[in-house]
Amino acid sequence: MHPAPSPGHPVGPPPREPRPPQPRKTSHLLHLVLTLITFGFWIIIWVIVSVQTDSSNRAAEQRFEDDYERWRHEYYAWQTGQPMPPQPPAKKRASGWW
Protein backbone atom coordinates (compact mmCIF):
# COMPACT_ATOMS: atom_id res chain seq x y z
CA MET A 1 0.00 0.00 0.00
CA HIS A 2 1.39 3.39 -1.07
CA PRO A 3 1.43 6.25 1.44
CA ALA A 4 -0.73 9.26 0.64
CA PRO A 5 1.32 12.10 -0.85
CA SER A 6 2.06 14.95 1.50
CA PRO A 7 0.59 18.39 0.70
CA GLY A 8 2.75 20.25 -1.77
CA HIS A 9 4.28 17.04 -3.13
CA PRO A 10 3.90 16.67 -6.92
CA VAL A 11 1.64 13.81 -7.95
CA GLY A 12 1.84 12.40 -11.45
CA PRO A 13 3.72 13.85 -14.39
CA PRO A 14 4.05 17.62 -14.72
CA PRO A 15 1.72 19.45 -17.11
CA ARG A 16 3.13 19.67 -20.63
CA GLU A 17 4.40 23.13 -21.59
CA PRO A 18 2.73 24.51 -24.75
CA ARG A 19 4.91 24.97 -27.81
CA PRO A 20 5.03 28.37 -29.53
CA PRO A 21 3.21 28.48 -32.87
CA GLN A 22 5.09 28.32 -36.15
CA PRO A 23 4.11 31.50 -38.00
CA ARG A 24 2.71 31.12 -41.49
CA LYS A 25 4.51 33.12 -44.15
CA THR A 26 3.37 34.73 -47.37
CA SER A 27 5.63 34.16 -50.36
CA HIS A 28 5.87 37.78 -51.47
CA LEU A 29 8.27 36.97 -54.31
CA LEU A 30 5.78 34.48 -55.80
CA HIS A 31 2.93 36.97 -55.48
CA LEU A 32 5.05 39.71 -57.08
CA VAL A 33 5.80 37.47 -60.07
CA LEU A 34 2.12 36.50 -60.39
CA THR A 35 1.14 40.17 -60.17
CA LEU A 36 3.54 41.05 -62.99
CA ILE A 37 2.40 38.10 -65.15
CA THR A 38 -1.30 39.04 -64.73
CA PHE A 39 -0.63 42.77 -65.33
CA GLY A 40 -1.56 43.70 -61.74
CA PHE A 41 -4.77 41.70 -61.35
CA TRP A 42 -3.15 39.26 -58.89
CA ILE A 43 -2.51 42.07 -56.38
CA ILE A 44 -6.08 41.62 -55.06
CA ILE A 45 -5.34 37.99 -54.18
CA TRP A 46 -1.97 39.00 -52.71
CA VAL A 47 -3.59 41.51 -50.34
CA ILE A 48 -6.26 39.01 -49.26
CA VAL A 49 -3.68 36.27 -48.59
CA SER A 50 -1.42 38.67 -46.67
CA VAL A 51 -4.25 39.91 -44.44
CA GLN A 52 -5.49 36.36 -43.75
CA THR A 53 -1.98 35.14 -42.94
CA ASP A 54 -1.39 38.05 -40.56
CA SER A 55 -4.74 37.46 -38.88
CA SER A 56 -4.05 33.75 -38.52
CA ASN A 57 -0.61 34.41 -36.98
CA ARG A 58 -2.06 36.89 -34.49
CA ALA A 59 -4.78 34.42 -33.45
CA ALA A 60 -2.24 31.61 -33.03
CA GLU A 61 -0.01 33.85 -30.91
CA GLN A 62 -2.96 34.84 -28.70
CA ARG A 63 -3.96 31.17 -28.24
CA PHE A 64 -0.36 30.38 -27.28
CA GLU A 65 -0.26 33.19 -24.72
CA ASP A 66 -3.53 31.96 -23.19
CA ASP A 67 -2.32 28.34 -23.15
CA TYR A 68 1.01 29.38 -21.64
CA GLU A 69 -0.70 31.32 -18.84
CA ARG A 70 -2.96 28.33 -18.13
CA TRP A 71 0.11 26.06 -18.10
CA ARG A 72 1.90 28.36 -15.60
CA HIS A 73 -1.04 28.03 -13.22
CA GLU A 74 -1.24 24.25 -13.66
CA TYR A 75 2.52 23.85 -13.19
CA TYR A 76 2.50 25.99 -10.06
CA ALA A 77 -0.37 23.93 -8.67
CA TRP A 78 1.49 20.71 -9.59
CA GLN A 79 4.67 21.90 -7.82
CA THR A 80 3.11 23.33 -4.68
CA GLY A 81 -0.22 21.53 -4.39
CA GLN A 82 -1.92 24.92 -4.12
CA PRO A 83 -3.58 27.21 -6.66
CA MET A 84 -1.51 30.11 -7.91
CA PRO A 85 -2.12 33.37 -6.01
CA PRO A 86 -4.03 36.03 -7.97
CA GLN A 87 -1.90 38.21 -10.20
CA PRO A 88 -2.55 41.84 -11.09
CA PRO A 89 -4.31 42.09 -14.46
CA ALA A 90 -1.94 42.36 -17.41
CA LYS A 91 -2.00 45.42 -19.60
CA LYS A 92 -3.91 44.87 -22.82
CA ARG A 93 -1.93 45.12 -26.01
CA ALA A 94 -3.02 47.60 -28.61
CA SER A 95 -4.53 45.86 -31.58
CA GLY A 96 -4.13 47.13 -35.06
CA TRP A 97 -2.21 46.81 -38.27
CA TRP A 98 1.01 48.38 -37.08
Side-chain angles (χ1 to χ4, degrees):
M1 186 161 162
H2 297 288
S6 61
H9 181 73
V11 176
R16 183 171 279 172
E17 184 174 358
R19 292 181 12 200
Q22 296 296 321
R24 294 175 50 202
K25 296 180 182 179
T26 302
S27 175
H28 293 288
L29 181 60
L30 172 66
H31 287 284
L32 175 63
V33 170
L34 290 171
T35 299
L36 295 174
I37 290 172
T38 62
F39 302 104
F41 289 110
W42 190 263
I43 200 162
I44 297 167
I45 305 297
W46 187 359
V47 169
I48 291 170
V49 168
S50 294
V51 168
Q52 286 179 340
T53 301
D54 183 58
S55 175
S56 174
N57 286 342
R58 287 177 190 259
E61 185 64 31
Q62 184 60 50
R63 279 192 308 273
F64 170 72
E65 289 176 8
D66 294 344
D67 289 346
Y68 189 78
E69 189 63 25
R70 190 175 315 112
W71 172 80
R72 284 185 57 237
H73 286 265
E74 290 173 1
Y75 192 78
Y76 181 87
W78 176 79
Q79 277 188 319
T80 64
Q82 301 174 16
M84 190 173 216
Q87 304 292 319
K91 291 183 179 180
K92 289 285 185 181
R93 291 183 304 182
S95 62
W97 288 44
W98 55 90

